[in-house]
Amino acid sequence: MLRKFRKLHSTYRYATSSFPDFSSAVRNAADQFFYREFLSTSPIPQASNALLQKLETAPLTLPPRALLGNGTQTVDGLSFLVLLAKALHAHTVFEIGTFTGVTAFTLAMNLPTLTIDTLDLPAGDLPALDFERDDKGYMPLRRRRRVFEDKPEGSRITQHEGDSARFDFSALGKTFDLVYVDGAHSYDYVANDTQAAFNIVSGSVGAIVWDDYSPAWRGVVRYLNERTDIEIHRVPATRLVLWLSSGAKSLLTQP
Ligand SMILES: C[S@@+](CC[C@H](N)C(=O)[O-])C[C@H]1O[C@@H](n2cnc3c(N)ncnc32)[C@H](O)[C@@H]1O
């Protein structure tokens, strides 16, 4: 079933990229159709309504729409990350894949005592492991100005430069309440970054969130689908997948 869906989906991707006049309405409808099919064959269950409803009670502030676009987190994704960090009473976040910095900025804006460490490739560097062809478009060719740089929130954000396959995560210890995995999307990178995330996430009340569980990123999907050894959940209306430590689970599910 999954193989049939993949074949159909790659034919569709070929058709949409080869015929640019494919109308956007048809494209949107087809995208939605494929996304529904993708979710219906996913082995990863959706997060429970009880958990989601609990998160949704806190207020939040979103960044200007102009800061969101191709490659950044979506409004629903940002909302979830902020609400999760608030519910966990997070003090520390590690992000793999800074890009424009809008997610780091949004988290810092909503949690006034939060500190964030965020890692991205140095400008012009290519990663050590295999990456997906589409990853290249998001890698910095020249130094990228991050949205938090001229903001007061920027003083609580530490920018690290390096390849996540070579970065020394062990020096950080298991000190992060939330780890957000959003770097390169190949199977090898998601495996590497997931291992790093488990090495630094707090053992008491910690959470890991992966972005881009979507048909466009096959490496992410294949890797996460294979992780039947850990309890992970999809977050509805987003491309996010969530893992909670047992302490975080108790905190978020207690009445
Ligand atoms: C999709 S963007 C991240 C979006 C951002 N996290 C957000 O929420 O708006 C992916 C980022 O990962 C970075 N990246 C790709 N490969 C990486 C690697 N091996 N190590 C560190 N960062 C990497 C890219 O340079 C890019 O900035």
Short mmCIF file of all heavy atoms in Angstrom, two decimals, residues 67-68 70-74 78 81 95-104 118-122 126-129 131 135-136 138-140 144 146 162-166 180-185 189 192-193 211-212 217 239, ligand 1:
data_model
loop_
_atom_site.label_atom_id
_atom_site.label_comp_id
_atom_site.label_asym_id
_atom_site.label_seq_id
_atom_site.Cartn_x
_atom_site.Cartn_y
_atom_site.Cartn_z
N LEU A 67 7.42 37.27 8.18
CA LEU A 67 8.62 36.51 8.54
C LEU A 67 8.47 35.01 8.23
O LEU A 67 9.42 34.25 8.39
CB LEU A 67 8.94 36.69 10.03
CG LEU A 67 9.33 38.10 10.48
CD1 LEU A 67 9.69 38.10 11.96
CD2 LEU A 67 10.50 38.62 9.65
N LEU A 68 7.25 34.62 7.84
CA LEU A 68 7.03 33.19 7.57
C LEU A 68 6.98 32.94 6.06
O LEU A 68 6.47 33.76 5.31
CB LEU A 68 5.71 32.73 8.20
CG LEU A 68 5.56 33.02 9.69
CD1 LEU A 68 4.26 32.46 10.22
CD2 LEU A 68 6.74 32.44 10.47
N ASN A 70 8.57 29.99 2.73
CA ASN A 70 9.16 28.72 2.34
C ASN A 70 10.37 28.39 3.22
O ASN A 70 11.31 29.17 3.30
CB ASN A 70 9.57 28.83 0.86
CG ASN A 70 10.03 27.50 0.32
OD1 ASN A 70 9.76 26.45 0.91
ND2 ASN A 70 10.74 27.53 -0.78
N GLY A 71 10.31 27.26 3.89
CA GLY A 71 11.45 26.83 4.72
C GLY A 71 11.31 27.17 6.19
O GLY A 71 12.01 26.61 7.02
N THR A 72 10.38 28.08 6.53
CA THR A 72 10.19 28.38 7.96
C THR A 72 9.08 27.48 8.52
O THR A 72 8.37 26.81 7.75
CB THR A 72 9.77 29.85 8.21
OG1 THR A 72 8.44 30.02 7.73
CG2 THR A 72 10.72 30.82 7.54
N GLN A 73 8.91 27.53 9.81
CA GLN A 73 7.82 26.81 10.45
C GLN A 73 6.49 27.49 10.08
O GLN A 73 6.46 28.67 9.72
CB GLN A 73 8.05 26.83 11.98
CG GLN A 73 7.17 25.92 12.77
CD GLN A 73 7.03 24.54 12.16
OE1 GLN A 73 6.04 24.25 11.48
NE2 GLN A 73 8.01 23.68 12.35
N THR A 74 5.40 26.73 10.14
CA THR A 74 4.07 27.30 9.83
C THR A 74 3.48 27.94 11.10
O THR A 74 3.99 27.71 12.21
CB THR A 74 3.11 26.20 9.37
OG1 THR A 74 2.93 25.28 10.48
CG2 THR A 74 3.66 25.44 8.17
N LEU A 78 4.40 26.75 14.75
CA LEU A 78 4.96 27.68 15.74
C LEU A 78 4.10 27.70 17.00
O LEU A 78 4.62 27.68 18.12
CB LEU A 78 5.00 29.11 15.17
CG LEU A 78 6.11 29.44 14.20
CD1 LEU A 78 5.93 30.85 13.64
CD2 LEU A 78 7.49 29.31 14.85
N LEU A 81 4.75 24.63 19.09
CA LEU A 81 6.05 24.64 19.77
C LEU A 81 6.02 25.59 20.98
O LEU A 81 6.54 25.26 22.06
CB LEU A 81 7.15 25.07 18.79
CG LEU A 81 7.55 23.99 17.77
CD1 LEU A 81 8.30 24.60 16.59
CD2 LEU A 81 8.41 22.91 18.43
N GLU A 95 17.73 23.97 19.04
CA GLU A 95 17.17 23.83 17.69
C GLU A 95 18.28 23.40 16.73
O GLU A 95 19.34 24.03 16.68
CB GLU A 95 16.60 25.18 17.23
CG GLU A 95 16.12 25.18 15.77
CD GLU A 95 15.64 26.54 15.28
OE1 GLU A 95 16.32 27.54 15.57
OE2 GLU A 95 14.60 26.61 14.62
N ILE A 96 18.04 22.34 15.96
CA ILE A 96 18.99 21.96 14.89
C ILE A 96 18.40 22.50 13.59
O ILE A 96 17.33 22.05 13.14
CB ILE A 96 19.18 20.43 14.82
CG1 ILE A 96 19.70 19.88 16.16
CG2 ILE A 96 20.14 20.07 13.68
CD1 ILE A 96 19.89 18.37 16.21
N GLY A 97 19.06 23.49 13.00
CA GLY A 97 18.57 24.11 11.75
C GLY A 97 17.92 25.46 12.00
O GLY A 97 16.69 25.55 12.07
N THR A 98 18.73 26.51 12.15
CA THR A 98 18.20 27.84 12.51
C THR A 98 17.42 28.48 11.37
O THR A 98 16.39 29.12 11.60
CB THR A 98 19.39 28.79 12.82
OG1 THR A 98 20.35 28.12 13.60
CG2 THR A 98 18.91 30.05 13.52
N PHE A 99 17.97 28.40 10.14
CA PHE A 99 17.43 29.07 8.96
C PHE A 99 17.34 30.58 9.25
O PHE A 99 18.33 31.18 9.64
CB PHE A 99 16.08 28.44 8.57
CG PHE A 99 15.66 28.75 7.17
CD1 PHE A 99 16.53 28.67 6.10
CD2 PHE A 99 14.34 29.12 6.89
CE1 PHE A 99 16.13 28.94 4.79
CE2 PHE A 99 13.92 29.39 5.60
CZ PHE A 99 14.82 29.31 4.56
N THR A 100 16.17 31.21 9.10
CA THR A 100 16.09 32.67 9.34
C THR A 100 15.99 33.00 10.83
O THR A 100 16.04 34.18 11.19
CB THR A 100 14.84 33.24 8.65
OG1 THR A 100 13.69 32.60 9.22
CG2 THR A 100 14.87 33.00 7.15
N GLY A 101 15.80 32.00 11.67
CA GLY A 101 15.74 32.23 13.11
C GLY A 101 14.35 32.57 13.62
O GLY A 101 14.19 32.93 14.80
N VAL A 102 13.33 32.42 12.78
CA VAL A 102 12.00 32.87 13.22
C VAL A 102 11.42 31.98 14.32
O VAL A 102 10.73 32.48 15.22
CB VAL A 102 11.04 33.00 12.00
CG1 VAL A 102 10.66 31.67 11.40
CG2 VAL A 102 9.81 33.79 12.38
N THR A 103 11.75 30.70 14.32
CA THR A 103 11.21 29.84 15.39
C THR A 103 11.90 30.15 16.71
O THR A 103 11.25 30.28 17.76
CB THR A 103 11.35 28.35 15.02
OG1 THR A 103 10.56 28.12 13.86
CG2 THR A 103 10.87 27.44 16.13
N ALA A 104 13.23 30.31 16.66
CA ALA A 104 13.96 30.67 17.89
C ALA A 104 13.43 32.00 18.44
O ALA A 104 13.17 32.14 19.64
CB ALA A 104 15.46 30.77 17.58
N THR A 118 20.90 27.41 19.07
CA THR A 118 20.45 27.01 17.74
C THR A 118 21.66 26.82 16.82
O THR A 118 22.61 27.60 16.86
CB THR A 118 19.40 28.01 17.18
OG1 THR A 118 19.00 27.59 15.87
CG2 THR A 118 19.90 29.44 17.12
N LEU A 119 21.61 25.74 16.04
CA LEU A 119 22.77 25.32 15.24
C LEU A 119 22.44 25.39 13.76
O LEU A 119 21.37 24.93 13.33
CB LEU A 119 23.12 23.87 15.61
CG LEU A 119 24.17 23.15 14.76
CD1 LEU A 119 25.57 23.72 15.03
CD2 LEU A 119 24.16 21.65 15.07
N ASP A 120 23.34 25.96 12.98
CA ASP A 120 23.19 25.90 11.52
C ASP A 120 24.56 25.76 10.89
O ASP A 120 25.58 26.04 11.51
CB ASP A 120 22.47 27.16 10.98
CG ASP A 120 21.66 26.83 9.71
OD1 ASP A 120 22.24 26.28 8.75
OD2 ASP A 120 20.46 27.09 9.71
N LEU A 121 24.55 25.32 9.64
CA LEU A 121 25.80 25.18 8.89
C LEU A 121 26.45 26.54 8.69
O LEU A 121 25.74 27.52 8.46
CB LEU A 121 25.49 24.63 7.50
CG LEU A 121 25.10 23.17 7.38
CD1 LEU A 121 24.56 22.92 5.98
CD2 LEU A 121 26.30 22.28 7.64
N PRO A 122 27.77 26.61 8.72
CA PRO A 122 28.44 27.86 8.34
C PRO A 122 28.17 28.13 6.85
O PRO A 122 28.02 27.19 6.07
CB PRO A 122 29.92 27.57 8.56
CG PRO A 122 29.98 26.28 9.33
CD PRO A 122 28.71 25.54 9.07
N LEU A 126 29.28 22.44 2.96
CA LEU A 126 28.38 21.33 2.63
C LEU A 126 28.45 20.31 3.76
O LEU A 126 29.52 20.09 4.34
CB LEU A 126 28.78 20.69 1.31
CG LEU A 126 28.35 21.44 0.05
CD1 LEU A 126 28.73 20.66 -1.19
CD2 LEU A 126 26.85 21.72 0.05
N PRO A 127 27.32 19.68 4.08
CA PRO A 127 27.32 18.72 5.19
C PRO A 127 28.14 17.46 4.89
O PRO A 127 28.34 17.11 3.73
CB PRO A 127 25.85 18.36 5.33
CG PRO A 127 25.09 19.32 4.50
CD PRO A 127 26.01 19.85 3.47
N ALA A 128 28.57 16.80 5.96
CA ALA A 128 29.42 15.61 5.82
C ALA A 128 28.64 14.39 5.34
O ALA A 128 29.15 13.58 4.57
CB ALA A 128 30.07 15.30 7.16
N LEU A 129 27.42 14.24 5.80
CA LEU A 129 26.62 13.06 5.42
C LEU A 129 25.82 13.36 4.16
O LEU A 129 25.70 14.51 3.74
CB LEU A 129 25.65 12.70 6.56
CG LEU A 129 26.25 12.46 7.95
CD1 LEU A 129 25.14 12.15 8.95
CD2 LEU A 129 27.24 11.30 7.91
N PHE A 131 22.77 14.27 1.99
CA PHE A 131 21.57 15.07 2.29
C PHE A 131 20.65 15.00 1.09
O PHE A 131 21.04 14.49 0.03
CB PHE A 131 21.94 16.51 2.66
CG PHE A 131 22.81 17.21 1.64
CD1 PHE A 131 22.26 17.94 0.62
CD2 PHE A 131 24.20 17.11 1.72
CE1 PHE A 131 23.06 18.57 -0.32
CE2 PHE A 131 25.01 17.75 0.79
CZ PHE A 131 24.43 18.47 -0.24
N ASP A 135 17.36 19.83 0.15
CA ASP A 135 17.97 20.49 1.32
C ASP A 135 18.84 21.67 0.91
O ASP A 135 18.96 22.65 1.64
CB ASP A 135 18.86 19.51 2.09
CG ASP A 135 18.08 18.66 3.08
OD1 ASP A 135 17.11 19.17 3.66
OD2 ASP A 135 18.44 17.48 3.24
N LYS A 136 19.46 21.51 -0.25
CA LYS A 136 20.48 22.49 -0.67
C LYS A 136 19.91 23.91 -0.73
O LYS A 136 20.59 24.87 -0.39
CB LYS A 136 21.06 22.08 -2.03
CG LYS A 136 22.51 22.38 -2.10
CD LYS A 136 23.19 21.75 -3.27
CE LYS A 136 24.56 22.38 -3.39
NZ LYS A 136 25.23 22.00 -4.58
N TYR A 138 17.99 25.38 1.15
CA TYR A 138 17.82 26.04 2.45
C TYR A 138 19.16 26.27 3.16
O TYR A 138 19.21 26.87 4.22
CB TYR A 138 16.90 25.21 3.35
CG TYR A 138 15.55 24.98 2.71
CD1 TYR A 138 15.20 23.75 2.18
CD2 TYR A 138 14.64 26.03 2.61
CE1 TYR A 138 13.97 23.56 1.56
CE2 TYR A 138 13.41 25.85 1.99
CZ TYR A 138 13.09 24.61 1.46
OH TYR A 138 11.89 24.43 0.85
N MET A 139 20.23 25.74 2.57
CA MET A 139 21.55 25.90 3.21
C MET A 139 22.11 27.28 2.88
O MET A 139 21.93 27.76 1.76
CB MET A 139 22.50 24.80 2.74
CG MET A 139 22.08 23.45 3.25
SD MET A 139 23.05 22.14 2.49
CE MET A 139 22.25 20.71 3.19
N PRO A 140 22.81 27.92 3.85
CA PRO A 140 23.25 29.31 3.61
C PRO A 140 24.44 29.39 2.65
O PRO A 140 25.47 28.78 2.90
CB PRO A 140 23.64 29.80 5.01
CG PRO A 140 23.94 28.55 5.78
CD PRO A 140 23.17 27.42 5.18
N ARG A 144 23.88 34.48 6.75
CA ARG A 144 22.45 34.80 6.77
C ARG A 144 22.16 35.65 8.02
O ARG A 144 22.57 35.30 9.11
CB ARG A 144 21.70 33.48 6.86
CG ARG A 144 20.24 33.54 6.65
CD ARG A 144 19.66 32.13 6.72
NE ARG A 144 19.51 31.48 5.43
CZ ARG A 144 19.58 30.16 5.25
NH1 ARG A 144 19.83 29.35 6.25
NH2 ARG A 144 19.40 29.64 4.06
N ARG A 146 19.90 36.74 10.89
CA ARG A 146 18.77 36.10 11.58
C ARG A 146 17.82 37.16 12.15
O ARG A 146 18.27 38.22 12.60
CB ARG A 146 19.28 35.22 12.72
CG ARG A 146 19.48 33.76 12.32
CD ARG A 146 20.74 33.54 11.56
NE ARG A 146 20.73 32.27 10.86
CZ ARG A 146 21.82 31.54 10.65
NH1 ARG A 146 22.99 31.94 11.10
NH2 ARG A 146 21.74 30.43 9.98
N GLY A 162 27.92 25.03 12.66
CA GLY A 162 28.57 23.72 12.51
C GLY A 162 27.62 22.75 11.83
O GLY A 162 26.43 23.04 11.67
N ASP A 163 28.19 21.63 11.46
CA ASP A 163 27.42 20.55 10.84
C ASP A 163 26.94 19.64 11.98
O ASP A 163 27.76 19.20 12.80
CB ASP A 163 28.38 19.82 9.88
CG ASP A 163 27.74 18.64 9.19
OD1 ASP A 163 26.65 18.21 9.59
OD2 ASP A 163 28.36 18.14 8.24
N SER A 164 25.66 19.33 12.02
CA SER A 164 25.15 18.53 13.14
C SER A 164 25.80 17.14 13.19
O SER A 164 25.80 16.49 14.23
CB SER A 164 23.63 18.39 13.05
OG SER A 164 23.27 17.74 11.84
N ALA A 165 26.38 16.70 12.06
CA ALA A 165 27.07 15.40 12.08
C ALA A 165 28.44 15.50 12.75
O ALA A 165 29.03 14.48 13.11
CB ALA A 165 27.24 14.89 10.65
N ARG A 166 28.94 16.73 12.92
CA ARG A 166 30.27 16.90 13.50
C ARG A 166 30.25 17.68 14.81
O ARG A 166 31.24 17.74 15.52
CB ARG A 166 31.15 17.68 12.50
CG ARG A 166 31.36 16.93 11.21
CD ARG A 166 32.75 17.21 10.69
NE ARG A 166 33.18 16.19 9.74
CZ ARG A 166 33.37 16.42 8.46
NH1 ARG A 166 33.17 17.62 7.96
NH2 ARG A 166 33.78 15.45 7.67
N TYR A 180 14.41 20.61 19.15
CA TYR A 180 13.63 20.76 17.91
C TYR A 180 14.55 20.37 16.74
O TYR A 180 15.55 21.03 16.48
CB TYR A 180 13.17 22.21 17.84
CG TYR A 180 12.53 22.68 16.57
CD1 TYR A 180 11.55 21.93 15.91
CD2 TYR A 180 12.85 23.93 16.05
CE1 TYR A 180 10.96 22.40 14.75
CE2 TYR A 180 12.26 24.41 14.89
CZ TYR A 180 11.31 23.64 14.26
OH TYR A 180 10.72 24.12 13.11
N VAL A 181 14.20 19.28 16.07
CA VAL A 181 15.06 18.71 15.01
C VAL A 181 14.53 19.19 13.65
O VAL A 181 13.47 18.75 13.19
CB VAL A 181 15.04 17.16 15.08
CG1 VAL A 181 15.90 16.57 13.97
CG2 VAL A 181 15.54 16.68 16.45
N ASP A 182 15.30 20.07 13.01
CA ASP A 182 14.81 20.67 11.76
C ASP A 182 16.00 21.08 10.88
O ASP A 182 16.05 22.17 10.34
CB ASP A 182 13.93 21.89 12.10
CG ASP A 182 13.14 22.38 10.91
OD1 ASP A 182 13.02 21.65 9.92
OD2 ASP A 182 12.64 23.52 10.97
N GLY A 183 16.98 20.16 10.76
CA GLY A 183 18.15 20.44 9.92
C GLY A 183 17.99 19.80 8.55
O GLY A 183 16.98 20.01 7.88
N ALA A 184 19.00 19.02 8.12
CA ALA A 184 18.90 18.34 6.82
C ALA A 184 17.89 17.18 6.94
O ALA A 184 17.68 16.64 8.03
CB ALA A 184 20.26 17.83 6.40
N HIS A 185 17.30 16.82 5.79
CA HIS A 185 16.15 15.91 5.83
C HIS A 185 16.43 14.49 5.33
O HIS A 185 15.49 13.72 5.16
CB HIS A 185 15.02 16.51 4.99
CG HIS A 185 14.52 17.81 5.53
ND1 HIS A 185 15.15 19.01 5.26
CD2 HIS A 185 13.48 18.11 6.33
CE1 HIS A 185 14.51 19.98 5.87
NE2 HIS A 185 13.50 19.47 6.52
N TYR A 189 20.79 12.02 8.07
CA TYR A 189 20.80 13.19 8.96
C TYR A 189 19.74 13.11 10.04
O TYR A 189 19.99 13.47 11.20
CB TYR A 189 20.69 14.51 8.17
CG TYR A 189 22.07 15.08 7.98
CD1 TYR A 189 22.70 15.04 6.76
CD2 TYR A 189 22.78 15.59 9.06
CE1 TYR A 189 24.00 15.49 6.60
CE2 TYR A 189 24.07 16.05 8.91
CZ TYR A 189 24.67 16.00 7.69
OH TYR A 189 25.96 16.44 7.57
N ASN A 192 21.10 10.82 12.60
CA ASN A 192 22.17 11.48 13.36
C ASN A 192 21.59 12.51 14.35
O ASN A 192 21.95 12.55 15.53
CB ASN A 192 23.11 12.20 12.37
CG ASN A 192 24.17 13.01 13.08
OD1 ASN A 192 25.18 12.47 13.50
ND2 ASN A 192 23.93 14.31 13.26
N ASP A 193 20.68 13.33 13.85
CA ASP A 193 20.15 14.43 14.67
C ASP A 193 19.23 13.90 15.77
O ASP A 193 19.15 14.49 16.86
CB ASP A 193 19.42 15.45 13.77
CG ASP A 193 20.38 16.11 12.78
OD1 ASP A 193 21.61 15.88 12.86
OD2 ASP A 193 19.91 16.86 11.89
N ASP A 211 10.47 18.29 12.74
CA ASP A 211 9.66 18.93 11.72
C ASP A 211 9.70 18.09 10.43
O ASP A 211 10.54 17.19 10.28
CB ASP A 211 10.16 20.36 11.43
CG ASP A 211 9.16 21.14 10.59
OD1 ASP A 211 7.95 20.81 10.63
OD2 ASP A 211 9.57 22.09 9.88
N ASP A 212 8.80 18.40 9.53
CA ASP A 212 8.82 17.89 8.15
C ASP A 212 8.51 16.42 7.99
O ASP A 212 9.06 15.76 7.09
CB ASP A 212 10.14 18.28 7.47
CG ASP A 212 10.23 19.79 7.30
OD1 ASP A 212 9.22 20.37 6.90
OD2 ASP A 212 11.27 20.37 7.63
N TRP A 217 9.43 14.96 2.19
CA TRP A 217 10.73 14.66 2.82
C TRP A 217 10.77 13.19 3.19
O TRP A 217 10.45 12.80 4.31
CB TRP A 217 10.95 15.55 4.05
CG TRP A 217 11.05 17.00 3.71
CD1 TRP A 217 10.15 17.98 4.01
CD2 TRP A 217 12.13 17.66 3.03
NE1 TRP A 217 10.59 19.19 3.55
CE2 TRP A 217 11.81 19.03 2.94
CE3 TRP A 217 13.35 17.22 2.48
CZ2 TRP A 217 12.65 19.96 2.33
CZ3 TRP A 217 14.18 18.15 1.87
CH2 TRP A 217 13.83 19.51 1.80
N ARG A 239 3.40 19.58 10.47
CA ARG A 239 4.25 18.49 9.98
C ARG A 239 5.07 17.92 11.13
O ARG A 239 6.09 17.27 10.94
CB ARG A 239 5.22 19.02 8.92
CG ARG A 239 4.56 19.84 7.82
CD ARG A 239 5.61 20.54 6.96
NE ARG A 239 6.43 21.46 7.73
CZ ARG A 239 6.63 22.74 7.42
NH1 ARG A 239 6.07 23.26 6.35
NH2 ARG A 239 7.40 23.50 8.17
C1 LIG B 1 14.05 24.01 6.98
S1 LIG B 1 15.35 25.01 7.51
C2 LIG B 1 15.01 25.19 9.25
C3 LIG B 1 13.81 26.08 9.57
C4 LIG B 1 13.80 26.60 11.00
N1 LIG B 1 14.12 25.58 11.96
C5 LIG B 1 12.43 27.17 11.32
O1 LIG B 1 11.74 26.59 12.16
O2 LIG B 1 12.06 28.19 10.74
C6 LIG B 1 16.71 23.85 7.58
C7 LIG B 1 17.97 24.48 8.11
O3 LIG B 1 18.86 23.41 8.46
C8 LIG B 1 20.17 23.80 8.15
N2 LIG B 1 20.99 22.59 7.99
C9 LIG B 1 21.01 21.73 6.95
N3 LIG B 1 21.91 20.77 7.16
C10 LIG B 1 22.46 21.01 8.37
C11 LIG B 1 23.47 20.36 9.13
N4 LIG B 1 24.06 19.25 8.68
N5 LIG B 1 23.81 20.89 10.32
C12 LIG B 1 23.22 22.00 10.77
N6 LIG B 1 22.24 22.66 10.10
C13 LIG B 1 21.87 22.17 8.91
C14 LIG B 1 20.01 24.57 6.84
O4 LIG B 1 21.14 25.40 6.59
C15 LIG B 1 18.71 25.35 7.10
O5 LIG B 1 18.99 26.61 7.65
#
